[in-house]
Amino acid sequence: MKAVVWRGVGDIAMEDVPDPRIEDDADAIVRITASAICGTDLHVVRGTVPGMRPGTILGHEAVGVIEQLGPQVRNFAVGDRVVVCSTIACGRCVYCRAGYYAQCDVANPNGPAAGTSFYGGPEQTGPFDGLQAEYARIPYAHTNLVPIPPGVTDEQALMVSDIFPTAWFGARLAEVAPGDVVMVMGAGPVGQLAALSARIQGAGRVLIADGNADRLEDARLQNAETIDVNIEDPVAAARELTGGIGPDRVIEAVGVDAETAEAGPAAHTGDDPATRRFAEEVRQVAPQTNPHDGQWKPGDAPSQALRWAVDAVAKAGTIGIVGVYPPSFESFPMGKAMQRNLTIKSGNCNHRRYVPGLLSRIAAGRADPTTVVAQEEPMSDVMRAYEAFDRREPGWTKVVLEVAG
């Protein structure tokens, strides 16, 4: 079969690989009908989430049709349309039964202390082959597959594989309550769906900060109040918009590939302390990089979004962090957060906890996450799609890959 394979930092390709097979009685084989490219995929290509094993199939978002089932999968039938939950969970351990699927004690073969397991990730997450392929093996299929309700399209369901639940989880972490002023750091697909999630969960106002004019315009169409970090200081702007108080809640949806402002009052110039600190952070989180031909360049300020979040939020406010950071990331303004009595929550989304409810919401016409989809590309054009997404070209906010078969 055809699949997108990680060969090294800055080096991915479409390759012919062996078809997956049933390896355990709780496995399923799913024929992928649509997959997607996520910012996390860019992290592993850029080298800011290190530890990838060469030959790993990329991707952790997919919908498809069940082709084969192991004998212990009792809740599905061959031919069922399903969405694949991005994080992998056994469904039976104490963590899964409490809803903490991302901290399953069983799924990660590296052991209970290894943390979240997901498709197409580094060795510490399993590793498990990903979903940017024609077929995929789904372990613990009774838990990690969810049926797609009638009337829900593949495109809608695909957004529930990862980014919509992650955005929803971010708003939950931030403790969004009715009437709150919520600020979202990052207007990428997760950030935009975090703005939608905050609205659904009761936010009175939603501010969103980014430096990409194209993405900010998309956010404005969702009635978010936009802040261009290349024109104004996002902290000062947030304070001004909230009468000097700051937003009640902040959702950080940027992660380790954050970038400094290119211009304006928030930009860093020359060899100032912040520039030196950010350079050291890049060396810390991305010991190996391979930028070339304008591609796969790591963000130049790994802690920037976190620092803006801590500075912007109101005293005694809450920050929910769903931007991805590797275990090697060690920079956080803890002292400032403590002195301002901030509550900080972070983590990988417990996808299986939220996927069924979000699918039901979509089926009832009460949410449509496809507003963030900007491009639909055939799997044969995946390399061009990766490159455009990496460069943040206009119109490439979220890329859906149509998989033949």
Side-chain angles (χ1 to χ4, degrees):
M1 69 173 183
K2 298 288 187 182
V4 181
V5 174
W6 190 93
R7 303 194 298 193
V9 175
D11 184 10
I12 60 174
M14 176 81 85
E15 293 186 356
D16 289 308
V17 300
D19 288 355
R21 57 183 179 82
I22 297 286
E23 298 178 17
D24 184 90
D25 286 350
D27 285 354
I29 302 299
V30 171
R31 174 172 56 84
I32 305 299
T33 55
S35 187
I37 303 174
C38 181
T40 302
D41 299 322
L42 295 182
H43 295 327
V44 301
V45 181
R46 292 169 179 164
T48 44
V49 172
M52 288 291 290
R53 184 178 68 185
T56 300
I57 297 171
L58 292 178
H60 54 268
E61 300 174 87
V63 295
V65 177
I66 295 176
E67 292 282 304
Q68 298 178 50
L69 288 170
Q72 287 301 317
V73 185
R74 303 164 186 252
N75 53 337
F76 290 99
V78 170
D80 285 350
R81 292 177 64 228
V82 290
V83 59
V84 183
C85 297
S86 292
T87 46
I88 302 170
C90 75
R92 65 174 186 261
C93 72
V94 294
Y95 284 94
C96 288
R97 289 163 69 173
Y100 297 108
Y101 293 96
Q103 294 302 320
C104 175
D105 250 357
V106 176
N108 195 325
N110 294 307
T116 306
S117 190
F118 65 92
Y119 302 95
E123 289 194 275
Q124 75 216 31
T125 69
F128 288 86
D129 275 327
L131 308 177
Q132 290 169 7
E134 292 179 290
Y135 296 88
R137 168 184 168 249
I138 310 301
Y140 309 106
H142 57 279
T143 295
N144 298 311
L145 296 178
V146 177
I148 299 174
V152 175
T153 68
D154 272 11
E155 188 179 85
Q156 289 174 319
L158 183 58
M159 299 301 102
V160 183
S161 180
D162 177 25
I163 63 171
F164 195 7
T166 295
W168 188 270
F169 180 59
R172 292 292 298 269
L173 289 176
E175 301 178 354
V176 173
D180 280 347
V181 178
V182 178
M183 182 176 187
V184 180
M185 302 303 305
V190 172
Q192 296 202 35
L193 290 179
L196 172 63
S197 298
R199 287 280 195 198
I200 294 172
Q201 293 179 33
R205 296 171 66 191
V206 178
L207 320 179
I208 191 163
D210 201 290
N212 184 292
D214 183 60
R215 295 182 176 189
L216 287 172
E217 179 58 29
D218 289 342
R220 189 176 296 110
L221 295 175
Q222 296 191 54
N223 302 116
E225 300 175 59
T226 58
I227 299 170
D228 189 335
V229 302
N230 291 319
I231 295 175
E232 53 189 337
D233 185 309
V235 176
R239 291 282 174 80
E240 180 181 1
L241 289 167
T242 56
I245 298 170
D248 304 293
R249 319 291 172 199
V250 174
I251 303 169
E252 198 281 87
V254 179
V256 68
D257 273 314
E259 296 183 332
T260 56
E262 297 175 357
H268 297 289
T269 57
D271 191 33
D272 64 18
T275 301
R276 293 195 298 271
R277 179 182 64 226
F278 289 146
E280 178 55 35
E281 289 174 1
V282 174
R283 288 190 290 269
Q284 178 189 99
V285 301
Q288 180 185 0
T289 61
N290 185 24
H292 54 85
D293 302 323
Q295 300 290 159
W296 323 126
K297 180 182 177 182
D300 62 3
S303 69
Q304 180 67 91
L306 290 173
R307 294 178 186 278
W308 279 338
V310 168
D311 288 343
V313 72
K315 291 185 296 182
T318 307
I319 300 173
I321 303 168
V322 289
V324 173
Y325 294 89
S328 56
F329 179 82
E330 297 180 346
S331 298
F332 185 81
M334 190 64 225
K336 187 175 291 186
M338 181 179 181
Q339 293 304 314
R340 304 189 67 234
N341 278 51
L342 303 185
T343 297
I344 313 293
K345 295 185 177 182
S346 66
N348 294 312
C349 178
N350 302 299
H351 290 88
R352 184 58 178 77
R353 183 171 185 166
Y354 303 112
V355 167
L358 292 177
L359 283 171
S360 295
R361 183 176 288 274
I362 293 168
R366 293 185 289 128
D368 184 7
T370 60
T371 54
V372 303
V373 176
Q375 296 288 336
E376 295 185 41
E377 297 292 318
M379 192 71 165
S380 57
D381 289 344
V382 65
M383 293 309 301
R384 182 178 70 88
Y386 254 100
E387 291 168 359
F389 187 52
D390 175 61
R391 291 192 296 264
R392 299 181 180 88
E393 290 184 2
W396 289 83
T397 303
K398 184 64 178 177
V399 184
V400 170
L401 300 174
E402 298 172 342
V403 184

